[in-house]
Amino acid sequence: RTGGEFLKQFKTEKHVGNFEYNPGLPLHISFDENVLPYLTLLIFQSENGLIRQVDEICLKDPLNTLKDTCLEFVERYGSNMQGLFIYGDSTSKKSDTKLQKGQNFYLLIKQYLIKQKPIFRVPKSNPSVIMARNFVNDLLAGDIVGYKFSVDSKCRNSINDYQYTTEDEDGKINKKVIRDKVTGQSFQEYGHHVDASKYFLVVYLQEQYKKFLKG
């Protein structure tokens, strides 16, 4: 079955399988800062051009905090000392009025994951949404020479997101908001995982992305 309109090239039969976590490889993790329906954290590993999403952490309210998400990550992967690289939205670097003065999203992550000695790979500004989307679709189609992207079948939220995220009139992510009938909370239903994986792939494959932009 083909993916949603945003990732037109995402196909479950081609991109989903069993991709076990390898404790001998570094971890690459990417965040999307929205907290509803959860705070999105995706976990990737890569070897010989095979980029695999091995896990996702999507804790729902009341555990949808950055601290709880990082604690869950440490619970699962704290023993990995091969290297930890962090990716995400560049706008989360700004001082956050919800936090203490001088704090931001990434400074908090650094505190919570201090034992893993994280290396941050968050760009000064985010890439063009449309160019990043086209690049990720090329990767999924097998058009980025030497690289393939796959997702472990247990990453159900991510797989749904990659399939059902649609684009708006301008080719960007359709930020359609739904309301939870039980909690009354409103949130963007799809697009969080697409965003988090996009932040990771464009930086991790930055040389390929630069070539792609040059055409």
Side-chain angles (χ1 to χ4, degrees):
R1 115 175 239 184
T2 56
E5 288 175 62
F6 194 83
L7 293 183
K8 293 179 172 67
Q9 297 296 335
F10 183 80
K11 296 174 173 59
T12 52
E13 67 275 12
K14 180 178 175 185
H15 298 110
V16 177
N18 293 318
F19 303 102
E20 289 297 307
Y21 157 63
N22 181 342
L25 292 176
L27 292 161
H28 299 266
I29 69 175
S30 190
F31 289 85
D32 181 73
E33 198 185 348
N34 291 290
V35 292
L36 291 172
Y38 35 67
L39 195 152
T40 303
L41 169 55
L42 308 184
I43 296 118
F44 304 92
Q45 292 190 300
S46 180
E47 189 174 28
N48 302 324
L50 299 175
I51 300 168
R52 300 180 294 268
Q53 182 182 332
V54 296
D55 204 356
E56 62 181 15
I57 296 174
C58 306
L59 305 179
K60 295 202 166 180
D61 195 16
L63 297 175
N64 55 341
T65 66
L66 183 57
K67 185 174 186 179
D68 283 309
T69 301
C70 288
L71 287 173
E72 179 63 27
F73 172 78
V74 171
E75 178 78 17
R76 296 185 198 183
Y77 299 104
S79 61
N80 183 313
M81 298 308 278
Q82 303 298 323
L84 176 62
F85 299 91
I86 293 177
Y87 307 77
D89 184 349
S90 70
T91 60
S92 301
K93 282 181 168 180
K94 65 185 184 304
S95 288
D96 191 329
T97 50
K98 300 190 292 291
L99 305 172
Q100 288 176 5
K101 191 163 173 57
Q103 283 288 23
N104 71 33
F105 191 69
Y106 296 111
L107 290 171
L108 287 174
I109 291 170
K110 191 174 183 180
Q111 285 174 24
Y112 298 142
L113 302 180
I114 190 107
K115 286 190 176 145
Q116 278 69 44
K117 300 185 168 42
I119 294 164
F120 288 82
R121 289 182 170 175
V122 181
K124 288 191 176 71
S125 60
N126 290 329
S128 149
V129 173
I130 292 167
M131 288 302 159
R133 176 202 64 188
N134 292 345
F135 176 72
V136 174
N137 274 309
D138 273 15
L139 175 65
L140 292 168
D143 295 337
I144 305 298
V145 177
Y147 292 93
K148 284 185 176 162
F149 179 79
S150 309
V151 187
D152 189 84
S153 57
K154 72 172 172 290
C155 302
R156 291 304 326 160
N157 292 294
S158 296
I159 293 163
N160 284 341
D161 202 77
Y162 299 154
Q163 285 183 288
Y164 300 124
T165 298
T166 57
E167 57 186 50
D168 66 13
E169 307 75 38
D170 297 318
K172 295 181 178 177
I173 288 177
N174 180 357
K175 306 270 185 180
K176 184 182 164 202
V177 169
I178 64 163
R179 189 180 174 88
D180 187 304
K181 292 186 180 74
V182 180
T183 64
Q185 293 172 318
S186 295
F187 54 86
Q188 182 191 326
E189 187 175 16
Y190 295 118
H192 307 294
H193 301 253
V194 167
D195 271 339
S197 59
K198 192 160 53 70
Y199 297 139
F200 162 62
L201 289 167
V202 166
V203 175
Y204 185 70
L205 297 174
Q206 57 187 321
E207 293 310 312
Q208 288 71 26
Y209 184 60
K210 280 179 197 160
K211 277 185 203 158
F212 166 82
L213 291 179
K214 284 181 184 159

